[in-house]
Amino acid sequence: MRRHRFEPAALVMGLVLLTLAVFFLLDAGGVWDLRPSRSGPLALGGLALAAAAGTVTQGARTVRARRGRRRP
């Protein structure tokens, strides 16, 4: 099996979506009241966190690749 790169942004987004799914299940079961005014910011905040994680990861990979090219 081929090895894949670790993608922190995908991990963060997966955790956010999993959390939202649990919230929606709790809302469907009547345990918790989830209004669209609450779920929207949660989803957008998760997207922002995933974007930040992806940006930091790409920056770290770019710096690491540049350092590797400098050394003979």
Side-chain angles (χ1 to χ4, degrees), residues 47-59:
L47 284 171
L49 279 174
T55 303
V56 169
T57 302
Q58 187 61 36

Side-chain angles (χ1 to χ4, degrees), residues 17-34:
L17 290 176
L18 188 62
T19 303
L20 277 173
V22 168
F23 287 165
F24 284 129
L25 286 173
L26 288 173
D27 183 37
V31 177
W32 195 47
D33 183 30
L34 181 67

